Every structure is written in structure tokens, then in C-alpha cells.
Amino acid sequence: ALGYTPWFDVIKTDCVMWNLPNGGMAIAEHVAGATVPNGPVGVTAASSLGWMSEIEVDGEDPRRAREAIAAKLAFLGVDVSDVTPAPLPVLVGRSLGLLPSEGAPRRAYFCGSIRGGRRLQPRYAAMIEWLQDGGYEVLTAHVGRPEVLDHERVTRLTDRAIYEGDMAWIARADLVVADVTVPSLGVGMELMRAADLGKPIVCLCEEETSLSALVAGNRHMTVHRYRDHQDALRALARAVAAWEASTSDATPRANAEGAP
């Protein structure tokens, strides 16, 4: 009713319960995850997290709660360093590769025209290199390669494989960056798919370009205009820094002042 689309199922396959000597109960469950068949992530995957336990204690005093939890963990033979505060859906999403692992580099999906025209290929390559230098894993780094069409023919073979692979990458991305200067049907589809999935989207566009209203007027996308090659990198740096600052767990990986 709220319009959410499921990406994966959290599956609990077994359960064990213990009565604790100081009162209360501990429950351990065997947990697995699986992507929804024909779902929005474009891939089929399954994983097992093994056994996990959720431990709760009464009371509002944080110090006493820590002590009570530590006592229960000690009874179960669990080292406190093995405990994670991450919610179960996050752990399942990480195990399926749909969310980045804790401490892993952020993933960027870069969009640029391929069959619609390659005049900005050097600029695409520079933007991708800038993202990589800033610590990002760029899932579509091949977009910046001069021989991208040959690369795709060799590595992904068919148009269907390209489509399904790109949709899966968009689902995995933390950030979508697109140069929308050269009109491209493919880039437009990528942007709409990213918007459907709620991905943060940064669009870059040369000044004086007549940009489609479906991009310029889309509230899910922020458009940054630039004058030339160097100004494009500065605009990218500012946009990424602003997005990183807006995320609650962000440690900025890019310095807007450090762009060429």
C-alpha cells in the first residue's frame, strides 16, 4: 500500500532457546536470505548467515543494560567483539551483495553516453578516475574507456546481458553520477531506474546544453552545470562532497578544493 518493492526475503530456518540461570531466555535462529524472484535488483542470489541471537534486557539504565547483556553473552560463550549493532535486514543485504560491507568503499555507478555519441569520452574517464582516487569503487568504469563498445562485446556478449548487468549494478550502487550533456536513451533509462530505487543521483551538464525537462525538472536528481573539462571536475567534487556531508555515517572521501 505504501509503494515499497521487496528486494529480498529474510528467512529463518531453525530456532533454539535457552533458559538463562539469572532469569530470562536467549533465542538463537538460523538465518538465510534470498532475492525476490524476478525482483527489482535484477539478480538471483541466496546466502546463509548461520546462527544469530538477539538479546534483550529490561531497564533504562545503559550501564546496567551493558552489564546484563555482557553476562548473557558470557553464558552463551560469545565474545562481545563479535556483536554487531547492524539490523538483521542490513546483514542479509550485505551477505547478498546488495549493500556494501561495513568499512567497504562506497560504490558509484557512472552514466555516460556510449552509443549515442562519444565526444566526451575523455571527460568521462577523468570523472571516473576522480571518483576512484576519492576511494569509490566505480561499477561502470568501462564507460570511460575509448574502446568501450569492443569491451562490452567481449565481456558481456549480448544486449540482454548488458541490460541485466547494468540494472544489477544500479541496485548495488550507493551513488549514481551521470554526465547528461550528450543525449542518450540508455542514460535516461539508467537515471529513471536509479530514481525508482531511491538512489542519490548527481547529474553534470555543460552550460548552454538544452537539457530535457525530465531530467532538469526531476526532484530526484540534482543538476550541476559546468563550463569546461576542469570545471566539470570541480562541479563533481562539490556535488559529491555535499552528498557525503548529507549522509549520517559519512566520512568525506573527496575534497572539493582538491579538484584540478
Side-chain angles (χ1 to χ4, degrees), residues 137-206:
E137 176 189 358
V138 181
L139 302 172
T140 50
H142 61 281
V143 173
R145 298 173 64 159
E147 74 287 4
V148 62
L149 290 172
D150 292 336
H151 172 79
E152 289 195 329
R153 276 192 289 267
V154 170
T155 60
R156 298 204 277 176
L157 302 180
T158 67
D159 288 347
R160 173 66 63 85
I162 292 171
Y163 170 79
E164 292 180 349
D166 284 357
M167 294 301 104
W169 277 334
I170 291 172
R172 286 172 165 78
D174 301 300
L175 174 67
V176 174
V177 176
D179 191 302
V180 294
T181 303
V182 178
S184 166
L185 287 172
V187 170
M189 292 185 65
E190 289 168 324
L191 292 177
M192 287 307 298
R193 184 59 180 150
D196 287 343
L197 294 176
K199 302 292 180 178
I201 303 171
V202 170
C203 294
L204 299 134
C205 185
E206 278 185 348

Side-chain angles (χ1 to χ4, degrees), residues 7 15 19 53 78 115 123-124 159 176 183 192 225 231 256:
W7 283 24
C15 178
N19 288 316
S53 180
V78 176
R115 301 185 189 185
R123 190 167 301 165
Y124 300 162
D159 288 347
V176 174
M192 287 307 298
R225 297 277 186 168
D231 195 38

